[in-house]
PDB file of all heavy atoms in Angstrom:
ATOM      1  N   ALA K1267      27.662  47.517  -2.871  1.00 91.00           N
ATOM      2  CA  ALA K1267      28.674  48.055  -3.820  1.00 91.00           C
ATOM      3  C   ALA K1267      28.571  47.508  -5.218  1.00 91.00           C
ATOM      4  O   ALA K1267      28.830  48.237  -6.240  1.00 91.00           O
ATOM      5  CB  ALA K1267      30.027  47.810  -3.238  1.00 91.00           C
ATOM      6  N   SER K1268      28.249  46.186  -5.379  1.00 92.00           N
ATOM      7  CA  SER K1268      28.463  45.595  -6.756  1.00 92.00           C
ATOM      8  C   SER K1268      27.184  44.882  -7.319  1.00 92.00           C
ATOM      9  O   SER K1268      26.996  44.712  -8.475  1.00 92.00           O
ATOM     10  CB  SER K1268      29.561  44.673  -6.687  1.00 92.00           C
ATOM     11  OG  SER K1268      29.406  43.609  -5.774  1.00 92.00           O
ATOM     12  N   TYR K1269      26.299  44.375  -6.396  1.00 92.00           N
ATOM     13  CA  TYR K1269      25.178  43.620  -6.911  1.00 92.00           C
ATOM     14  C   TYR K1269      23.995  43.738  -6.009  1.00 92.00           C
ATOM     15  O   TYR K1269      24.140  43.309  -4.883  1.00 92.00           O
ATOM     16  CB  TYR K1269      25.482  42.213  -7.214  1.00 92.00           C
ATOM     17  CG  TYR K1269      24.409  41.427  -7.841  1.00 92.00           C
ATOM     18  CD1 TYR K1269      24.019  41.719  -9.132  1.00 92.00           C
ATOM     19  CD2 TYR K1269      23.691  40.424  -7.181  1.00 92.00           C
ATOM     20  CE1 TYR K1269      22.923  41.095  -9.734  1.00 92.00           C
ATOM     21  CE2 TYR K1269      22.656  39.780  -7.805  1.00 92.00           C
ATOM     22  CZ  TYR K1269      22.298  40.088  -9.080  1.00 92.00           C
ATOM     23  OH  TYR K1269      21.251  39.434  -9.685  1.00 92.00           O
ATOM     24  N   ARG K1270      22.873  44.138  -6.558  1.00 89.00           N
ATOM     25  CA  ARG K1270      21.664  44.297  -5.777  1.00 89.00           C
ATOM     26  C   ARG K1270      20.453  43.465  -6.285  1.00 89.00           C
ATOM     27  O   ARG K1270      19.324  43.882  -6.041  1.00 89.00           O
ATOM     28  CB  ARG K1270      21.279  45.772  -5.719  1.00 89.00           C
ATOM     29  CG  ARG K1270      22.355  46.619  -5.016  1.00 89.00           C
ATOM     30  CD  ARG K1270      21.904  48.093  -4.924  1.00 89.00           C
ATOM     31  NE  ARG K1270      23.010  48.913  -4.385  1.00 89.00           N
ATOM     32  CZ  ARG K1270      22.884  50.179  -4.067  1.00 89.00           C
ATOM     33  NH1 ARG K1270      21.684  50.838  -4.235  1.00 89.00           N
ATOM     34  NH2 ARG K1270      23.869  50.889  -3.498  1.00 89.00           N
ATOM     35  N   GLY K1271      20.812  42.400  -6.967  1.00 89.00           N
ATOM     36  CA  GLY K1271      19.747  41.495  -7.464  1.00 89.00           C
ATOM     37  C   GLY K1271      19.197  41.804  -8.833  1.00 89.00           C
ATOM     38  O   GLY K1271      18.203  41.136  -9.324  1.00 89.00           O
ATOM     39  N   GLU K1272      19.752  42.748  -9.597  1.00 94.00           N
ATOM     40  CA  GLU K1272      19.183  43.145 -10.895  1.00 94.00           C
ATOM     41  C   GLU K1272      19.296  42.081 -11.960  1.00 94.00           C
ATOM     42  O   GLU K1272      18.529  42.106 -12.939  1.00 94.00           O
ATOM     43  CB  GLU K1272      19.917  44.468 -11.383  1.00 94.00           C
ATOM     44  CG  GLU K1272      21.415  44.324 -11.505  1.00 94.00           C
ATOM     45  CD  GLU K1272      22.159  44.765 -10.213  1.00 94.00           C
ATOM     46  OE1 GLU K1272      21.454  44.864  -9.146  1.00 94.00           O
ATOM     47  OE2 GLU K1272      23.330  44.973 -10.294  1.00 94.00           O
ATOM     48  N   LYS K1273      20.188  41.046 -11.792  1.00 95.00           N
ATOM     49  CA  LYS K1273      20.251  40.042 -12.782  1.00 95.00           C
ATOM     50  C   LYS K1273      19.383  38.804 -12.470  1.00 95.00           C
ATOM     51  O   LYS K1273      19.247  37.891 -13.318  1.00 95.00           O
ATOM     52  CB  LYS K1273      21.684  39.519 -12.932  1.00 95.00           C
ATOM     53  CG  LYS K1273      22.611  40.553 -13.553  1.00 95.00           C
ATOM     54  CD  LYS K1273      24.071  40.066 -13.674  1.00 95.00           C
ATOM     55  CE  LYS K1273      24.999  41.046 -14.357  1.00 95.00           C
ATOM     56  NZ  LYS K1273      26.384  40.557 -14.530  1.00 95.00           N
ATOM     57  N   HIS K1274      18.797  38.797 -11.315  1.00 94.00           N
ATOM     58  CA  HIS K1274      17.789  37.745 -10.965  1.00 94.00           C
ATOM     59  C   HIS K1274      16.495  38.042 -11.701  1.00 94.00           C
ATOM     60  O   HIS K1274      16.208  39.175 -12.016  1.00 94.00           O
ATOM     61  CB  HIS K1274      17.506  37.737  -9.477  1.00 94.00           C
ATOM     62  CG  HIS K1274      18.515  37.024  -8.661  1.00 94.00           C
ATOM     63  ND1 HIS K1274      19.888  37.447  -8.579  1.00 94.00           N
ATOM     64  CD2 HIS K1274      18.387  35.893  -7.934  1.00 94.00           C
ATOM     65  CE1 HIS K1274      20.503  36.637  -7.775  1.00 94.00           C
ATOM     66  NE2 HIS K1274      19.665  35.710  -7.311  1.00 94.00           N
ATOM     67  N   LEU K1275      15.728  36.938 -12.118  1.00 94.00           N
ATOM     68  CA  LEU K1275      14.476  37.122 -12.786  1.00 94.00           C
ATOM     69  C   LEU K1275      13.387  36.814 -11.701  1.00 94.00           C
ATOM     70  O   LEU K1275      13.084  35.672 -11.391  1.00 94.00           O
ATOM     71  CB  LEU K1275      14.360  36.147 -13.980  1.00 94.00           C
ATOM     72  CG  LEU K1275      13.115  36.233 -14.805  1.00 94.00           C
ATOM     73  CD1 LEU K1275      12.906  37.597 -15.279  1.00 94.00           C
ATOM     74  CD2 LEU K1275      13.219  35.252 -16.002  1.00 94.00           C
ATOM     75  N   ARG K1276      12.806  37.932 -11.196  1.00 90.00           N
ATOM     76  CA  ARG K1276      11.822  37.772 -10.179  1.00 90.00           C
ATOM     77  C   ARG K1276      10.472  37.208 -10.705  1.00 90.00           C
ATOM     78  O   ARG K1276      10.223  37.334 -11.902  1.00 90.00           O
ATOM     79  CB  ARG K1276      11.546  39.197  -9.514  1.00 90.00           C
ATOM     80  CG  ARG K1276      12.740  39.832  -8.832  1.00 90.00           C
ATOM     81  CD  ARG K1276      12.402  41.232  -8.466  1.00 90.00           C
ATOM     82  NE  ARG K1276      13.493  41.902  -7.784  1.00 90.00           N
ATOM     83  CZ  ARG K1276      13.635  42.044  -6.437  1.00 90.00           C
ATOM     84  NH1 ARG K1276      12.704  41.565  -5.659  1.00 90.00           N
ATOM     85  NH2 ARG K1276      14.711  42.708  -5.946  1.00 90.00           N
ATOM     86  N   ASP K1277       9.694  36.697  -9.730  1.00 87.00           N
ATOM     87  CA  ASP K1277       8.422  36.082 -10.209  1.00 87.00           C
ATOM     88  C   ASP K1277       7.458  37.214 -10.730  1.00 87.00           C
ATOM     89  O   ASP K1277       6.764  36.911 -11.661  1.00 87.00           O
ATOM     90  CB  ASP K1277       7.707  35.416  -8.936  1.00 87.00           C
ATOM     91  CG  ASP K1277       7.675  36.252  -7.708  1.00 87.00           C
ATOM     92  OD1 ASP K1277       8.105  37.444  -7.777  1.00 87.00           O
ATOM     93  OD2 ASP K1277       7.173  35.750  -6.738  1.00 87.00           O
ATOM     94  N   ASP K1278       7.594  38.445 -10.217  1.00 86.00           N
ATOM     95  CA  ASP K1278       6.741  39.518 -10.711  1.00 86.00           C
ATOM     96  C   ASP K1278       7.054  39.768 -12.170  1.00 86.00           C
ATOM     97  O   ASP K1278       6.117  40.022 -13.038  1.00 86.00           O
ATOM     98  CB  ASP K1278       6.947  40.827  -9.925  1.00 86.00           C
ATOM     99  CG  ASP K1278       6.509  40.635  -8.458  1.00 86.00           C
ATOM    100  OD1 ASP K1278       5.684  39.764  -8.186  1.00 86.00           O
ATOM    101  OD2 ASP K1278       6.986  41.420  -7.668  1.00 86.00           O
ATOM    102  N   GLU K1279       8.348  39.805 -12.593  1.00 91.00           N
ATOM    103  CA  GLU K1279       8.788  40.067 -13.925  1.00 91.00           C
ATOM    104  C   GLU K1279       8.353  38.912 -14.883  1.00 91.00           C
ATOM    105  O   GLU K1279       7.850  39.187 -15.968  1.00 91.00           O
ATOM    106  CB  GLU K1279      10.300  40.270 -13.960  1.00 91.00           C
ATOM    107  CG  GLU K1279      10.712  41.546 -13.120  1.00 91.00           C
ATOM    108  CD  GLU K1279      12.258  41.583 -13.011  1.00 91.00           C
ATOM    109  OE1 GLU K1279      12.833  40.544 -12.529  1.00 91.00           O
ATOM    110  OE2 GLU K1279      12.870  42.543 -13.431  1.00 91.00           O
ATOM    111  N   LEU K1280       8.581  37.719 -14.415  1.00 92.00           N
ATOM    112  CA  LEU K1280       8.239  36.526 -15.233  1.00 92.00           C
ATOM    113  C   LEU K1280       6.704  36.504 -15.349  1.00 92.00           C
ATOM    114  O   LEU K1280       6.171  36.223 -16.496  1.00 92.00           O
ATOM    115  CB  LEU K1280       8.780  35.298 -14.602  1.00 92.00           C
ATOM    116  CG  LEU K1280       8.726  33.994 -15.451  1.00 92.00           C
ATOM    117  CD1 LEU K1280       9.500  34.196 -16.728  1.00 92.00           C
ATOM    118  CD2 LEU K1280       9.296  32.826 -14.659  1.00 92.00           C
ATOM    119  N   GLY K1281       6.018  36.775 -14.271  1.00 90.00           N
ATOM    120  CA  GLY K1281       4.544  36.749 -14.342  1.00 90.00           C
ATOM    121  C   GLY K1281       3.957  37.793 -15.314  1.00 90.00           C
ATOM    122  O   GLY K1281       3.001  37.527 -16.000  1.00 90.00           O
ATOM    123  N   GLY K1282       4.696  38.966 -15.386  1.00 91.00           N
ATOM    124  CA  GLY K1282       4.245  39.953 -16.345  1.00 91.00           C
ATOM    125  C   GLY K1282       4.351  39.436 -17.806  1.00 91.00           C
ATOM    126  O   GLY K1282       3.467  39.751 -18.622  1.00 91.00           O
ATOM    127  N   LEU K1283       5.461  38.753 -18.161  1.00 94.00           N
ATOM    128  CA  LEU K1283       5.615  38.201 -19.507  1.00 94.00           C
ATOM    129  C   LEU K1283       4.529  37.111 -19.701  1.00 94.00           C
ATOM    130  O   LEU K1283       3.963  37.018 -20.772  1.00 94.00           O
ATOM    131  CB  LEU K1283       7.013  37.534 -19.528  1.00 94.00           C
ATOM    132  CG  LEU K1283       8.159  38.488 -19.712  1.00 94.00           C
ATOM    133  CD1 LEU K1283       9.518  37.717 -19.525  1.00 94.00           C
ATOM    134  CD2 LEU K1283       8.152  39.364 -20.969  1.00 94.00           C
ATOM    135  N   PHE K1284       4.187  36.358 -18.647  1.00 94.00           N
ATOM    136  CA  PHE K1284       3.226  35.294 -18.857  1.00 94.00           C
ATOM    137  C   PHE K1284       1.815  35.892 -19.130  1.00 94.00           C
ATOM    138  O   PHE K1284       0.914  35.313 -19.759  1.00 94.00           O
ATOM    139  CB  PHE K1284       3.154  34.339 -17.740  1.00 94.00           C
ATOM    140  CG  PHE K1284       4.408  33.426 -17.658  1.00 94.00           C
ATOM    141  CD1 PHE K1284       4.855  32.868 -16.469  1.00 94.00           C
ATOM    142  CD2 PHE K1284       5.143  33.111 -18.752  1.00 94.00           C
ATOM    143  CE1 PHE K1284       5.951  32.085 -16.387  1.00 94.00           C
ATOM    144  CE2 PHE K1284       6.238  32.380 -18.758  1.00 94.00           C
ATOM    145  CZ  PHE K1284       6.628  31.814 -17.510  1.00 94.00           C
ATOM    146  N   ILE K1285       1.567  37.065 -18.551  1.00 94.00           N
ATOM    147  CA  ILE K1285       0.274  37.732 -18.891  1.00 94.00           C
ATOM    148  C   ILE K1285       0.178  38.041 -20.288  1.00 94.00           C
ATOM    149  O   ILE K1285      -0.904  37.843 -20.928  1.00 94.00           O
ATOM    150  CB  ILE K1285       0.194  39.033 -18.064  1.00 94.00           C
ATOM    151  CG1 ILE K1285       0.014  38.754 -16.505  1.00 94.00           C
ATOM    152  CG2 ILE K1285      -0.974  40.007 -18.521  1.00 94.00           C
ATOM    153  CD1 ILE K1285      -1.315  38.166 -16.161  1.00 94.00           C
ATOM    154  N   ASP K1286       1.269  38.475 -20.950  1.00 95.00           N
ATOM    155  CA  ASP K1286       1.243  38.654 -22.380  1.00 95.00           C
ATOM    156  C   ASP K1286       0.928  37.448 -23.205  1.00 95.00           C
ATOM    157  O   ASP K1286       0.185  37.460 -24.118  1.00 95.00           O
ATOM    158  CB  ASP K1286       2.569  39.291 -22.800  1.00 95.00           C
ATOM    159  CG  ASP K1286       2.888  40.665 -22.269  1.00 95.00           C
ATOM    160  OD1 ASP K1286       1.958  41.310 -21.827  1.00 95.00           O
ATOM    161  OD2 ASP K1286       4.101  40.983 -22.225  1.00 95.00           O
ATOM    162  N   VAL K1287       1.491  36.297 -22.669  1.00 96.00           N
ATOM    163  CA  VAL K1287       1.224  34.970 -23.353  1.00 96.00           C
ATOM    164  C   VAL K1287      -0.258  34.721 -23.163  1.00 96.00           C
ATOM    165  O   VAL K1287      -0.919  34.323 -24.206  1.00 96.00           O
ATOM    166  CB  VAL K1287       2.098  33.916 -22.730  1.00 96.00           C
ATOM    167  CG1 VAL K1287       1.792  32.550 -23.422  1.00 96.00           C
ATOM    168  CG2 VAL K1287       3.587  34.182 -22.980  1.00 96.00           C
ATOM    169  N   ARG K1288      -0.791  34.839 -21.991  1.00 95.00           N
ATOM    170  CA  ARG K1288      -2.148  34.409 -21.736  1.00 95.00           C
ATOM    171  C   ARG K1288      -3.159  35.267 -22.474  1.00 95.00           C
ATOM    172  O   ARG K1288      -4.238  34.798 -22.769  1.00 95.00           O
ATOM    173  CB  ARG K1288      -2.356  34.479 -20.166  1.00 95.00           C
ATOM    174  CG  ARG K1288      -1.550  33.510 -19.442  1.00 95.00           C
ATOM    175  CD  ARG K1288      -1.584  33.700 -17.918  1.00 95.00           C
ATOM    176  NE  ARG K1288      -2.953  33.300 -17.412  1.00 95.00           N
ATOM    177  CZ  ARG K1288      -3.392  33.675 -16.157  1.00 95.00           C
ATOM    178  NH1 ARG K1288      -2.579  34.278 -15.351  1.00 95.00           N
ATOM    179  NH2 ARG K1288      -4.585  33.291 -15.857  1.00 95.00           N
ATOM    180  N   GLU K1289      -2.857  36.559 -22.639  1.00 95.00           N
ATOM    181  CA  GLU K1289      -3.753  37.475 -23.313  1.00 95.00           C
ATOM    182  C   GLU K1289      -3.909  36.918 -24.850  1.00 95.00           C
ATOM    183  O   GLU K1289      -4.993  36.924 -25.365  1.00 95.00           O
ATOM    184  CB  GLU K1289      -3.247  38.873 -23.372  1.00 95.00           C
ATOM    185  CG  GLU K1289      -3.458  39.650 -22.066  1.00 95.00           C
ATOM    186  CD  GLU K1289      -2.905  41.039 -22.139  1.00 95.00           C
ATOM    187  OE1 GLU K1289      -2.112  41.322 -23.015  1.00 95.00           O
ATOM    188  OE2 GLU K1289      -3.314  41.836 -21.238  1.00 95.00           O
ATOM    189  N   ARG K1290      -2.799  36.561 -25.415  1.00 96.00           N
ATOM    190  CA  ARG K1290      -2.858  36.072 -26.801  1.00 96.00           C
ATOM    191  C   ARG K1290      -3.562  34.669 -26.939  1.00 96.00           C
ATOM    192  O   ARG K1290      -4.066  34.329 -27.950  1.00 96.00           O
ATOM    193  CB  ARG K1290      -1.427  35.998 -27.381  1.00 96.00           C
ATOM    194  CG  ARG K1290      -0.862  37.386 -27.644  1.00 96.00           C
ATOM    195  CD  ARG K1290       0.618  37.303 -28.093  1.00 96.00           C
ATOM    196  NE  ARG K1290       1.078  38.602 -28.416  1.00 96.00           N
ATOM    197  CZ  ARG K1290       1.282  39.044 -29.730  1.00 96.00           C
ATOM    198  NH1 ARG K1290       0.920  38.239 -30.727  1.00 96.00           N
ATOM    199  NH2 ARG K1290       1.771  40.286 -29.941  1.00 96.00           N
TER     200      ARG K1290
END
Side-chain angles (χ1 to χ4, degrees):
S1268 60
Y1269 185 67
R1270 302 183 180 184
E1272 55 271 14
K1273 293 183 178 181
H1274 281 63
L1275 183 52
R1276 295 173 183 260
D1277 51 2
D1278 297 338
E1279 298 170 304
L1280 193 57
L1283 289 172
F1284 290 154
I1285 290 292
D1286 294 340
V1287 178
R1288 296 172 68 190
E1289 284 180 343
R1290 289 174 175 259

